[in-house]
Amino acid sequence: MLSAFTARPIVELKPRDKSKIESLLAYGDRLLVGLNTGSLRIYRVNESISDSGPAAAGEPDQRQNGPKPVELLREQDKFSKYKIEQLAIIKEVNILVSLSNGYISIHDLQTFELLETLVKTKGASAFAVTSDVVKEASTGVPSIVSRLAVAVKRRLLLWSWHDSELSSDTSELTVVTGIKTLMWATGTRLIAGLSSSYVLVDVESASITDIVGPGSIGGAPGQDGGRFGGVGVASMGYIGMGIVVPKPLATRLSEGQLLLAKDINTLFIDTDGNPLGRRQIPWSVAPEAIGYSYPFLLALQATKGILEVRNPDTLTALQSIPLANANQLHVPHPYVSLAHAGKGFLVSSERSIWRMDALGYDAQIDALVERRRLDEAISLLGMLEDALLRDKKGRLREIKMLKAQDLFDQKRYRDSLDLFWEASAPPERVISLYPSVIAGEPMISRSGQQSIDGSNVGNQQNSQAGSESIQPTDDQPNSSEKHNGTAETTTIVSRTSIDNVSQRDGSKVSAGEGSDTASAYNRGLASDVHRRELEGKDLETATLELAGFLVGARTKLQRFLNPDGSMKDVSQDSGVGSQKTSFEDLVLPTTAGQELGYEQRLQETAKLVDTTLFRAYMLARPSLAGPLFRRPNFCDADVVNDKLLESGRYNDLIDFFFGKRLHRQALELLKKFGQNADAGDATAQLRGPQRTVAYLQNLPPELIDLILEYAEWPLKVDPKLGMEVFLADSENAETLPRPKVLEFLQNVDQKLAVKYLEHVVEELNDATPMFHQRLIDTYLAGLKSTDAAESHKKAEYSNKLLNFLRTSQHYESWKVIHQLPRDDPDVYEARAIVLGNMREHRQALEIYVFKLGNPEKAEDYCNQIYLTETSPASSPARSRRRSTTNSEEGPPSIYHSLLSLYLSPPPPYEPQWRPALEILAKHGSRLPASSTLALIPEILPIQKLESYFRSRIRSANTIVNEARVVASLRKAVDMSEEAKLHLGDGSPGGNAGRNRSVVITEEKVCGVCHKRFGGSAIKVLPK
């Protein structure tokens, strides 16, 4: 059991004193005791004595030699004529309130003299006081309001003081039955315990609300139990002995919660009277009194003489303190004593008063942990304020991890891992709970480097690393296991956890056999043996839960680590403190002499998490291992390689190598299985060059040397498929270093180099002159190396060369023209195209007309040149139609050069009349009349020139008509603009033209000189 409180007797009536203690009141260092004789005794409590801890066993009690716990200051003999049933103070008004003989009396708090007896309270059975700070609704000025509520049978009388001034208004409310107890729930709401139920009274609105609860708490609204209403079975005696009616009890708990108790029935409610839906407290005997001493629930069971201490959250009994004949419990009111200062509450019997001194909260937590009451420790930490504990967050986290460890031992794997996640447990600590098939051998050896006392396990004597057959029981652990190296390595988490808890409290934990910690440690040894033997269905279930935990841990690690392992800059997103806290949640504390930076520790944790997650997937869900590899990960390459090779999962291994950028290992494996046709079914998908080509396509251009090294064998096996490495429609293929690729392909096969050049120039539109020149050289080499028997290949090379020379503008013409022989018929047309690009049009036409003898190609050449020179990109002046009658029209056109070659050919060629007349007929409008007629010989009949003159006349008429149309259109535009200037455009708010009016008043000033206009001349601008 927990030792949260220690009973210390402070007042004991002497044997010859026949008085009995009836009521108590403690405030400050004063203790008021009301006796049955009507006397009031005033004591002073010596805090130095009460705050000192209990004397240790075998040591003398210093109280025997020091001052007494309390000192009697005075005794007010005639305080009342009858027994003093209840006492309370209103500190703000400086008065003492007492209940005696059914009357409420007001006394001076300093002199204890009677000031007034409230006559209206005749027959009073109970009263309650409260003080609160209230802001005025109109002004917002705060004031202290104190209230006194008195129960007189069915009536409830209310008095109030505002800033120590008694209000003249006295309220009175009536309830259905007699009032037994009163308690203020808030500054304005009152819980009244009736004979058979409870009601909530709002003193401001004068409303009364029935509280419905189980059993004797109360029935439906308005229901009365009659004479024996509210009597429970635990309070009924024999018929002949009579019936003991239990008193309705109530107490305030934490903020906004209250507890109602009658007989053995309880009800938790809020300050509005609504049930909170919590289960009842498992009391076997009805308590005499209840109270709340932060953070514990107190219940005084007078019939047993026991003070019971419970956790109000879990309702678990934590301590039972025997107090002989105790019948009264007094806890200072919250407005008199702070909530957490209520450690010094009082319990009394008719002859004695005990002060309950509380153990330190840190020590209470330690005691619960040592007794493995981890749920209670977690609950208690949750209720306590942060300022009352040392490192509350860290201790709560550590205890949750211990609880999760216990749940794991109980095979409640999901609950365990959920609690580990809630506590932000370091992944290494969770992984250490698993056998080596999941955690790995390095993990177990690393986790066992420190023992409970901080010494190195490897230096311990009598180490028996191989003796795993030791199986100690919980009742009598085997002492030899303390020195067993194997057991030591697997139990470091449980021992270190207990050690951490104790060291934070400033005490050193001993591993001796007599300590509770040693017992917990020995119990942990047995559970660790269980963990190491985890197998079968349990291992699979626990591994699946671990996988979910590790996925969340990976997400946390991604906040700090980049995929390449470097640290992220998270200082701008969160403060340095929160960043450090989050970091500490992911790694175990460093041991003495171990200095590792944040980045290195996180990298080790990330490697451990990903490698363990891989093992978990391989054991429980092998299909999930592949998606893990396709994302950035920190898995141990050796572990993954061995595991996947062992299971024959070569595809996953290649994906892993790609993710870890171990490309050479992956390509070697692909080459090995791709060239091995006799491999088994496990490598069927890896046969051939397909996987190698796909892998090479995903490599970045920076690895060009590696790509070219392993692209050779796919090109030799399947050239078309192998070329997809360089020709694929992907960013990687398009950004490869093209000169290196071209050089590589030329060494493999010239045809592949030509295919790559065509792809680069035609599809990728690369304008590098070198590639264009290399492609021309390749075409020319193929044209020259082809025999006459291979006419189709020669024609193919010739067509490719001619088409490329026509379309490309990035080769060097002067180099190409020297590569084309003048007397080679195969390159005549190619020479003509190159000469045309060099603007040597006459030489190009001579080749078409005389060497090729093809007037159609010569005419097509002229058409192409003419359209190029007269394209819209030319200047507007050049594109206008010009009169053909003007002899000074500029340089002769390309058709003039062709016509001169037909009519006046160089020797030894003869004039060609027919193609010349066709040129005159088709393109007469493009031939200047003066220069054209000068070329026509006199022997040519005029009739042959009819078509030429007709086209010239039509061209001239077209130019004249076009000029007339343009002049008419310009005249129409001028008229439209003039009309707008005179009359305006007619649109609202638009230009009004000369119809615009301007009003000049005496206040108008010039926008330039800012003078009044007066009689000056005015000129209005368009805007």
Side-chain angles (χ1 to χ4, degrees), residues 135-156:
K135 289 186 178 181
E136 295 290 341
S138 58
T139 62
V141 176
S143 61
I144 299 178
V145 177
S146 302
R147 289 187 172 91
L148 169 64
V150 181
V152 182
K153 297 181 180 179
R154 294 175 52 199
R155 294 182 300 149
L156 181 63

PDB file of all heavy atoms in Angstrom, residues 135-156:
ATOM      1  N   LYS A 135     -17.116  40.411  -9.816  1.00  0.00           N
ATOM      2  CA  LYS A 135     -17.048  41.697 -10.504  1.00  0.00           C
ATOM      3  C   LYS A 135     -18.453  42.254 -10.681  1.00  0.00           C
ATOM      4  O   LYS A 135     -19.376  41.528 -11.046  1.00  0.00           O
ATOM      5  CB  LYS A 135     -16.372  41.551 -11.874  1.00  0.00           C
ATOM      6  CG  LYS A 135     -14.881  41.293 -11.800  1.00  0.00           C
ATOM      7  CD  LYS A 135     -14.267  41.307 -13.191  1.00  0.00           C
ATOM      8  CE  LYS A 135     -12.757  41.106 -13.116  1.00  0.00           C
ATOM      9  NZ  LYS A 135     -12.134  41.137 -14.472  1.00  0.00           N
ATOM     10  N   GLU A 136     -18.585  43.558 -10.416  1.00  0.00           N
ATOM     11  CA  GLU A 136     -19.870  44.206 -10.613  1.00  0.00           C
ATOM     12  C   GLU A 136     -20.227  44.197 -12.100  1.00  0.00           C
ATOM     13  O   GLU A 136     -19.385  44.470 -12.960  1.00  0.00           O
ATOM     14  CB  GLU A 136     -19.827  45.646 -10.099  1.00  0.00           C
ATOM     15  CG  GLU A 136     -19.627  45.759  -8.598  1.00  0.00           C
ATOM     16  CD  GLU A 136     -20.869  45.303  -7.838  1.00  0.00           C
ATOM     17  OE1 GLU A 136     -21.949  45.265  -8.449  1.00  0.00           O
ATOM     18  OE2 GLU A 136     -20.738  44.973  -6.648  1.00  0.00           O
ATOM     19  N   ALA A 137     -21.495  43.861 -12.383  1.00  0.00           N
ATOM     20  CA  ALA A 137     -21.912  43.769 -13.776  1.00  0.00           C
ATOM     21  C   ALA A 137     -21.864  45.112 -14.483  1.00  0.00           C
ATOM     22  O   ALA A 137     -21.570  45.197 -15.679  1.00  0.00           O
ATOM     23  CB  ALA A 137     -23.327  43.182 -13.858  1.00  0.00           C
ATOM     24  N   SER A 138     -22.146  46.202 -13.769  1.00  0.00           N
ATOM     25  CA  SER A 138     -22.205  47.522 -14.396  1.00  0.00           C
ATOM     26  C   SER A 138     -20.832  48.173 -14.505  1.00  0.00           C
ATOM     27  O   SER A 138     -20.482  48.741 -15.547  1.00  0.00           O
ATOM     28  CB  SER A 138     -23.149  48.431 -13.596  1.00  0.00           C
ATOM     29  OG  SER A 138     -22.709  48.526 -12.242  1.00  0.00           O
ATOM     30  N   THR A 139     -20.027  48.094 -13.448  1.00  0.00           N
ATOM     31  CA  THR A 139     -18.744  48.799 -13.438  1.00  0.00           C
ATOM     32  C   THR A 139     -17.549  47.884 -13.687  1.00  0.00           C
ATOM     33  O   THR A 139     -16.492  48.352 -14.105  1.00  0.00           O
ATOM     34  CB  THR A 139     -18.557  49.495 -12.084  1.00  0.00           C
ATOM     35  OG1 THR A 139     -18.531  48.509 -11.034  1.00  0.00           O
ATOM     36  CG2 THR A 139     -19.684  50.472 -11.824  1.00  0.00           C
ATOM     37  N   GLY A 140     -17.696  46.598 -13.444  1.00  0.00           N
ATOM     38  CA  GLY A 140     -16.574  45.679 -13.612  1.00  0.00           C
ATOM     39  C   GLY A 140     -15.572  45.738 -12.493  1.00  0.00           C
ATOM     40  O   GLY A 140     -14.486  45.156 -12.594  1.00  0.00           O
ATOM     41  N   VAL A 141     -15.895  46.415 -11.401  1.00  0.00           N
ATOM     42  CA  VAL A 141     -14.983  46.535 -10.269  1.00  0.00           C
ATOM     43  C   VAL A 141     -15.109  45.276  -9.413  1.00  0.00           C
ATOM     44  O   VAL A 141     -16.212  44.894  -9.016  1.00  0.00           O
ATOM     45  CB  VAL A 141     -15.306  47.784  -9.430  1.00  0.00           C
ATOM     46  CG1 VAL A 141     -14.402  47.852  -8.200  1.00  0.00           C
ATOM     47  CG2 VAL A 141     -15.187  49.029 -10.284  1.00  0.00           C
ATOM     48  N   PRO A 142     -13.989  44.594  -9.115  1.00  0.00           N
ATOM     49  CA  PRO A 142     -14.095  43.369  -8.310  1.00  0.00           C
ATOM     50  C   PRO A 142     -14.366  43.689  -6.845  1.00  0.00           C
ATOM     51  O   PRO A 142     -13.909  44.702  -6.303  1.00  0.00           O
ATOM     52  CB  PRO A 142     -12.720  42.715  -8.486  1.00  0.00           C
ATOM     53  CG  PRO A 142     -11.802  43.859  -8.785  1.00  0.00           C
ATOM     54  CD  PRO A 142     -12.617  44.867  -9.557  1.00  0.00           C
ATOM     55  N   SER A 143     -15.106  42.809  -6.209  1.00  0.00           N
ATOM     56  CA  SER A 143     -15.397  42.942  -4.784  1.00  0.00           C
ATOM     57  C   SER A 143     -15.454  41.553  -4.168  1.00  0.00           C
ATOM     58  O   SER A 143     -15.714  40.562  -4.860  1.00  0.00           O
ATOM     59  CB  SER A 143     -16.723  43.682  -4.549  1.00  0.00           C
ATOM     60  OG  SER A 143     -17.805  42.962  -5.123  1.00  0.00           O
ATOM     61  N   ILE A 144     -15.218  41.468  -2.868  1.00  0.00           N
ATOM     62  CA  ILE A 144     -15.233  40.195  -2.156  1.00  0.00           C
ATOM     63  C   ILE A 144     -16.627  39.985  -1.576  1.00  0.00           C
ATOM     64  O   ILE A 144     -17.120  40.822  -0.805  1.00  0.00           O
ATOM     65  CB  ILE A 144     -14.175  40.180  -1.049  1.00  0.00           C
ATOM     66  CG1 ILE A 144     -12.777  40.357  -1.646  1.00  0.00           C
ATOM     67  CG2 ILE A 144     -14.260  38.882  -0.255  1.00  0.00           C
ATOM     68  CD1 ILE A 144     -11.679  40.390  -0.610  1.00  0.00           C
ATOM     69  N   VAL A 145     -17.247  38.881  -1.948  1.00  0.00           N
ATOM     70  CA  VAL A 145     -18.593  38.554  -1.480  1.00  0.00           C
ATOM     71  C   VAL A 145     -18.491  37.300  -0.617  1.00  0.00           C
ATOM     72  O   VAL A 145     -18.000  36.261  -1.080  1.00  0.00           O
ATOM     73  CB  VAL A 145     -19.564  38.342  -2.654  1.00  0.00           C
ATOM     74  CG1 VAL A 145     -20.945  37.939  -2.131  1.00  0.00           C
ATOM     75  CG2 VAL A 145     -19.650  39.590  -3.508  1.00  0.00           C
ATOM     76  N   SER A 146     -18.935  37.408   0.612  1.00  0.00           N
ATOM     77  CA  SER A 146     -18.959  36.267   1.528  1.00  0.00           C
ATOM     78  C   SER A 146     -20.411  35.904   1.809  1.00  0.00           C
ATOM     79  O   SER A 146     -21.268  36.792   1.947  1.00  0.00           O
ATOM     80  CB  SER A 146     -18.241  36.602   2.842  1.00  0.00           C
ATOM     81  OG  SER A 146     -16.895  36.990   2.593  1.00  0.00           O
ATOM     82  N   ARG A 147     -20.671  34.609   1.902  1.00  0.00           N
ATOM     83  CA  ARG A 147     -22.046  34.160   2.106  1.00  0.00           C
ATOM     84  C   ARG A 147     -22.096  33.130   3.214  1.00  0.00           C
ATOM     85  O   ARG A 147     -21.161  32.343   3.397  1.00  0.00           O
ATOM     86  CB  ARG A 147     -22.619  33.565   0.811  1.00  0.00           C
ATOM     87  CG  ARG A 147     -22.906  34.591  -0.274  1.00  0.00           C
ATOM     88  CD  ARG A 147     -23.625  33.947  -1.462  1.00  0.00           C
ATOM     89  NE  ARG A 147     -24.078  34.939  -2.417  1.00  0.00           N
ATOM     90  CZ  ARG A 147     -23.373  35.366  -3.455  1.00  0.00           C
ATOM     91  NH1 ARG A 147     -22.148  34.864  -3.659  1.00  0.00           N
ATOM     92  NH2 ARG A 147     -23.853  36.279  -4.280  1.00  0.00           N
ATOM     93  N   LEU A 148     -23.230  33.164   3.942  1.00  0.00           N
ATOM     94  CA  LEU A 148     -23.524  32.212   5.012  1.00  0.00           C
ATOM     95  C   LEU A 148     -24.864  31.574   4.718  1.00  0.00           C
ATOM     96  O   LEU A 148     -25.871  32.269   4.539  1.00  0.00           O
ATOM     97  CB  LEU A 148     -23.553  32.915   6.377  1.00  0.00           C
ATOM     98  CG  LEU A 148     -24.111  32.106   7.552  1.00  0.00           C
ATOM     99  CD1 LEU A 148     -23.236  30.885   7.844  1.00  0.00           C
ATOM    100  CD2 LEU A 148     -24.254  32.989   8.788  1.00  0.00           C
ATOM    101  N   ALA A 149     -24.859  30.248   4.608  1.00  0.00           N
ATOM    102  CA  ALA A 149     -26.094  29.504   4.367  1.00  0.00           C
ATOM    103  C   ALA A 149     -26.384  28.645   5.601  1.00  0.00           C
ATOM    104  O   ALA A 149     -25.490  27.938   6.097  1.00  0.00           O
ATOM    105  CB  ALA A 149     -25.959  28.627   3.125  1.00  0.00           C
ATOM    106  N   VAL A 150     -27.620  28.700   6.102  1.00  0.00           N
ATOM    107  CA  VAL A 150     -28.005  27.980   7.316  1.00  0.00           C
ATOM    108  C   VAL A 150     -29.221  27.114   6.997  1.00  0.00           C
ATOM    109  O   VAL A 150     -30.193  27.591   6.373  1.00  0.00           O
ATOM    110  CB  VAL A 150     -28.334  28.961   8.465  1.00  0.00           C
ATOM    111  CG1 VAL A 150     -28.702  28.184   9.714  1.00  0.00           C
ATOM    112  CG2 VAL A 150     -27.165  29.897   8.727  1.00  0.00           C
ATOM    113  N   ALA A 151     -29.148  25.849   7.411  1.00  0.00           N
ATOM    114  CA  ALA A 151     -30.262  24.921   7.214  1.00  0.00           C
ATOM    115  C   ALA A 151     -31.100  24.864   8.478  1.00  0.00           C
ATOM    116  O   ALA A 151     -30.599  24.502   9.558  1.00  0.00           O
ATOM    117  CB  ALA A 151     -29.725  23.540   6.861  1.00  0.00           C
ATOM    118  N   VAL A 152     -32.370  25.240   8.358  1.00  0.00           N
ATOM    119  CA  VAL A 152     -33.315  25.193   9.474  1.00  0.00           C
ATOM    120  C   VAL A 152     -34.495  24.347   9.014  1.00  0.00           C
ATOM    121  O   VAL A 152     -35.393  24.836   8.314  1.00  0.00           O
ATOM    122  CB  VAL A 152     -33.774  26.604   9.899  1.00  0.00           C
ATOM    123  CG1 VAL A 152     -34.722  26.508  11.090  1.00  0.00           C
ATOM    124  CG2 VAL A 152     -32.587  27.485  10.223  1.00  0.00           C
ATOM    125  N   LYS A 153     -34.422  23.076   9.330  1.00  0.00           N
ATOM    126  CA  LYS A 153     -35.440  22.109   8.903  1.00  0.00           C
ATOM    127  C   LYS A 153     -35.570  22.159   7.380  1.00  0.00           C
ATOM    128  O   LYS A 153     -34.627  21.825   6.660  1.00  0.00           O
ATOM    129  CB  LYS A 153     -36.772  22.394   9.606  1.00  0.00           C
ATOM    130  CG  LYS A 153     -36.681  22.239  11.127  1.00  0.00           C
ATOM    131  CD  LYS A 153     -38.010  22.490  11.806  1.00  0.00           C
ATOM    132  CE  LYS A 153     -37.882  22.326  13.316  1.00  0.00           C
ATOM    133  NZ  LYS A 153     -39.150  22.581  14.018  1.00  0.00           N
ATOM    134  N   ARG A 154     -36.712  22.599   6.847  1.00  0.00           N
ATOM    135  CA  ARG A 154     -36.884  22.653   5.387  1.00  0.00           C
ATOM    136  C   ARG A 154     -36.487  23.992   4.802  1.00  0.00           C
ATOM    137  O   ARG A 154     -36.512  24.166   3.583  1.00  0.00           O
ATOM    138  CB  ARG A 154     -38.352  22.375   5.033  1.00  0.00           C
ATOM    139  CG  ARG A 154     -38.820  20.967   5.349  1.00  0.00           C
ATOM    140  CD  ARG A 154     -40.314  20.840   5.066  1.00  0.00           C
ATOM    141  NE  ARG A 154     -40.636  21.305   3.734  1.00  0.00           N
ATOM    142  CZ  ARG A 154     -41.865  21.655   3.314  1.00  0.00           C
ATOM    143  NH1 ARG A 154     -42.877  21.592   4.171  1.00  0.00           N
ATOM    144  NH2 ARG A 154     -42.072  22.055   2.088  1.00  0.00           N
ATOM    145  N   ARG A 155     -36.121  24.926   5.667  1.00  0.00           N
ATOM    146  CA  ARG A 155     -35.796  26.258   5.170  1.00  0.00           C
ATOM    147  C   ARG A 155     -34.280  26.424   5.014  1.00  0.00           C
ATOM    148  O   ARG A 155     -33.492  25.853   5.756  1.00  0.00           O
ATOM    149  CB  ARG A 155     -36.328  27.320   6.132  1.00  0.00           C
ATOM    150  CG  ARG A 155     -37.846  27.380   6.230  1.00  0.00           C
ATOM    151  CD  ARG A 155     -38.253  28.496   7.161  1.00  0.00           C
ATOM    152  NE  ARG A 155     -37.704  28.294   8.498  1.00  0.00           N
ATOM    153  CZ  ARG A 155     -37.381  29.288   9.312  1.00  0.00           C
ATOM    154  NH1 ARG A 155     -37.547  30.549   8.943  1.00  0.00           N
ATOM    155  NH2 ARG A 155     -36.900  29.031  10.524  1.00  0.00           N
ATOM    156  N   LEU A 156     -33.942  27.260   4.039  1.00  0.00           N
ATOM    157  CA  LEU A 156     -32.540  27.610   3.794  1.00  0.00           C
ATOM    158  C   LEU A 156     -32.421  29.118   3.899  1.00  0.00           C
ATOM    159  O   LEU A 156     -32.986  29.862   3.084  1.00  0.00           O
ATOM    160  CB  LEU A 156     -32.089  27.128   2.404  1.00  0.00           C
ATOM    161  CG  LEU A 156     -30.637  27.420   2.035  1.00  0.00           C
ATOM    162  CD1 LEU A 156     -29.684  26.693   2.974  1.00  0.00           C
ATOM    163  CD2 LEU A 156     -30.356  27.006   0.583  1.00  0.00           C
TER     164      LEU A 156
END
